[in-house]
Amino acid sequence: MRRTVLAVALLAVLVFPLPGLAADDPPHQADCPGSGCHARTASAQRWAVRLSGAWSAGPGSGDTDDGGTVPAVGQAYVAVGGGVAALGTGLSVTGYALARGGVLWQTTLSAPAGTAIMSVRAWPGVITVGLLAPSGSSRTEVVINAQTGIELGRFPAAVFGGAVAASAAATVVIGSSAVTSYDNATGRVRWQRKIGAGQSWQADGQTLYVAQSAGGSLSASPVTALKVIDLTTGTQRLLGSPLGSPFSGTLAVAADGAVLFASSAGVTAYSGSTGDALWTAAGAVPEGTDPAAGLVYLTSASGTLTGVDPVTGTALASVPASAVPASGGVYVVRDGVALGLDAGANGGAWLYSTSADRVSWNSATLPWPHFFSDLSGLGGSAAASGGMVVVTACPHLAASARLCADPELVAFNL
């Protein structure tokens, strides 16, 4: 939970990799066949495609103009990666060609009444979709071919678990009591490692860290150890806390061999190899990572977003609160470039270069933009690798009820 009101509205900040963009990057004409897709001439903005179904936009909480473009009923989930952008609403999943915006496929998943999509994640060759049961107590992870939309398999998962690694051949799923690697074609278990129920976790590439605490992540019990699992081979080891003392706070981020724990006092980083304490940052809140630059981003009480070396804690980049548009929220950082969105009817997208210490690019008006994120950090509007990010926007509101007349999925190649 945030402990202070930041000067910059860093709302739901999740950091995903996006490459930087020079201010003079030439316009690009997207290949958008069909009447539903059109190219954008603005730098970085590549294409926009009309969305089906009923979407709304307008004032958010407190009747302020901070609402984004979201489904009129239920929620939407987006994942970007492997050349595909996948959008899930209700029980429907649509795959878009990331380069040009054309629809690749659309499928409706079979499930009991009351089941709903709760997560969409993109991997090389496949899309994984988390389905929440009507009771809310169980989840099924569905694996879909990213190019055809054909369902490849279904595997049991923990409600706040699901796929943590996947390919056309296999999927690794966090279940209620184990981490399991499944063969997509046969459903056969390739390997399985037991874990405690309800434990928090973080992935660092092909390494998974699972907390060990009595009662799981919802309890007040301290984390006394981490189970470290290789997602490729299934090999595991136990990483104890330093000198027999519990780790400080809750598991928040894993990056470049370091694991960060967050508490009311701030952030403490530990070695993912030895468990030794590496550094602390008082009053800081961890926001995510910039893998291209090898940094972890933290926010402070002043609103500054600071990129630090995950092993040493040395500050190497920053986005000061005074340097970005007043209404903007920073959502993505990659290779020293931060992507922000301005909320409301006259919203826009902008880039801030940490090396040049200035806003390097602004988009034209992008009304009611909405950025999607996954609590796991493994899905959302931005690609886990490469340079694409997609958001929803509403160029025109309908006459009544704050419905969007022509909702769009908009792509940027930053």
Side-chain angles (χ1 to χ4, degrees), residues 149-372:
I150 295 174
E151 185 175 318
L152 302 178
R154 296 191 176 204
F155 309 113
V159 172
F160 296 108
V164 289
S167 67
T171 302
V172 181
V173 176
I174 294 183
S176 59
S177 61
V179 179
T180 307
S181 176
Y182 296 96
D183 183 287
N184 290 338
T186 65
R188 179 180 60 87
V189 173
R190 300 171 68 246
W191 54 260
Q192 187 173 74
R193 301 294 177 261
K194 298 294 184 181
I195 59 172
Q199 301 292 344
S200 59
W201 55 272
Q202 289 291 325
D204 178 11
Q206 290 300 302
T207 301
L208 178 69
Y209 297 90
V210 183
Q212 305 292 290
S213 62
S217 60
L218 297 181
S219 73
S221 300
V223 177
T224 56
L226 294 172
K227 184 165 285 190
V228 185
I229 302 173
D230 187 302
L231 294 173
T232 302
T233 65
T235 57
Q236 67 175 355
R237 60 186 175 88
L238 194 65
L239 181 66
S241 54
L243 301 177
S245 300
F247 291 105
S248 179
T250 58
L251 179 60
V253 174
D256 289 350
V259 287
L260 276 62
F261 281 73
S263 70
S264 59
V267 175
T268 304
Y270 299 88
S271 168
S273 299
T274 66
D276 293 334
L278 299 174
W279 52 269
T280 60
V285 177
E287 301 292 1
T289 63
D290 178 355
L295 301 179
V296 170
Y297 273 83
L298 313 174
T299 53
S300 64
S302 68
T304 299
L305 184 67
T306 303
V308 304
D309 183 294
V311 175
T312 66
T314 303
L316 299 175
S318 68
V319 183
S322 61
V324 297
S327 62
V330 176
Y331 290 93
V332 179
V333 182
R334 163 65 179 226
D335 204 13
V337 178
L339 167 67
L341 296 174
D342 298 328
N346 297 311
W350 47 268
L351 302 178
Y352 181 88
S353 169
T354 60
S355 59
D357 193 26
R358 64 181 176 87
V359 174
S360 59
W361 174 81
N362 280 289
S363 77
T365 298
L366 186 70
W368 310 109
H370 185 81
F371 183 95
F372 296 89

Side-chain angles (χ1 to χ4, degrees), residues 116-119 121 130-133 135-141 155-163 173-177 197-199 201 218 374-376:
I117 292 173
M118 66 172 298
S119 169
R121 298 168 186 169
L131 294 181
L132 183 65
S135 65
S137 61
S138 64
R139 167 177 175 162
T140 300
E141 205 73 1
F155 309 113
V159 172
F160 296 108
V173 176
I174 294 183
S176 59
S177 61
Q199 301 292 344
W201 55 272
L218 297 181
D374 187 310
L375 291 176
S376 71

